[in-house]
Amino acid sequence: MLFVVTATVFSVLPLLQYLRGQHHLRLRTLVRHRQHVLAGDEIYFFRAGKYDFMYPPPCALFLAGASLLGQVGLIFLLVAIDSAAWFIRRELSALLARDDQSAKNPWLYLIPSLLVIVYIWSSYHLGQPNLVLLALMVGAFIALRAECEIGGGGLIAVAAAIKAFPVLAIIYLVYRRYWKAAISLVATLVFLLLILPAPFRGFERAWHDLEKWSAGMLNTAKSPLGSARCAVTLGRINPLSV
């Protein structure tokens, strides 16, 4: 009941903010971004020392499809995804933590959420995908424990296609000799980066998007303000401010 009440409040507040006009400009900008993506136009514009949109190309495609619902529909979709990801993460984290799967300690469900409640709220309030990434990563560890390496690597790849940094988990996979998971991660990521966008953007444009995004991220990391801009890359600002 505590989860349901909290998730409901967190879901309603962004809608109320939109009705007061606080997110109108940001959502309208995202709708314009959708038009660039689906029309095959440039999606990475370098302004004021950084890209307007700093997420990987597959994420641009995901957001473009979601924005077809309109501004109100997009808010409902994002908060619904956040709530589902929060619930899944809560269940899977407790499953990983407890020794006896038949014994359910309520603190295993409550304490992890309380420790990161500020970040959970920011996911709802700012439209960040942190909860989705966390659910995907915890799901990957569940898959690895169940000896489903291909599924675990695929889940990590989906997370990396939304934001780049989960790809660092490949170091862990190699260290633990999860070879199938590492190969699955790379293969799934290639599919998401190049093959999936091809029907909408064309293969050449998809390759161009990947090259330009990669170059922009490297330039950002090397710049004098690289640490601050890397914080942007890691999702510490509102993705709807593109």
Side-chain angles (χ1 to χ4, degrees), residues 117-237:
I117 194 66
V118 174
Y119 296 99
I120 292 174
W121 163 241
S122 70
S123 294
Y124 284 87
H125 177 60
L126 301 178
Q128 295 184 6
N130 296 333
L131 278 173
V132 176
L133 299 180
L134 185 55
L136 289 170
M137 295 301 293
V138 175
F141 284 112
I142 289 287
L144 292 175
R145 193 171 74 170
E147 299 183 355
C148 182
E149 294 189 29
I150 295 178
L155 289 175
I156 298 174
V158 174
I162 298 174
K163 279 193 175 181
F165 66 86
V167 75
L168 295 175
I170 194 172
I171 299 175
Y172 169 81
L173 298 179
V174 173
Y175 175 75
R176 294 298 301 271
R177 298 184 179 180
Y178 288 123
W179 305 118
K180 292 181 180 179
I183 294 173
S184 174
L185 191 162
V186 173
T188 305
L189 201 55
V190 169
F191 171 80
L192 293 173
L193 290 173
L194 296 175
I195 300 177
L196 180 64
F200 306 94
R201 304 276 293 168
F203 182 79
E204 293 184 2
R205 172 60 73 174
W207 180 258
H208 169 77
D209 292 339
L210 179 59
E211 282 187 324
K212 191 165 185 180
W213 174 78
S214 301
M217 294 301 99
L218 291 176
N219 291 335
T220 296
K222 294 178 181 178
S223 67
L225 299 178
S227 59
R229 291 169 186 167
C230 285
V232 174
T233 307
L234 292 176
R236 296 170 188 166
I237 67 168

Side-chain angles (χ1 to χ4, degrees), residues 95-112:
L95 180 61
L96 282 175
R98 64 177 185 256
D99 294 330
D100 186 0
Q101 297 187 9
S102 63
K104 293 186 177 182
N105 188 333
W107 292 107
L108 293 178
Y109 298 86
L110 181 60
I111 291 178

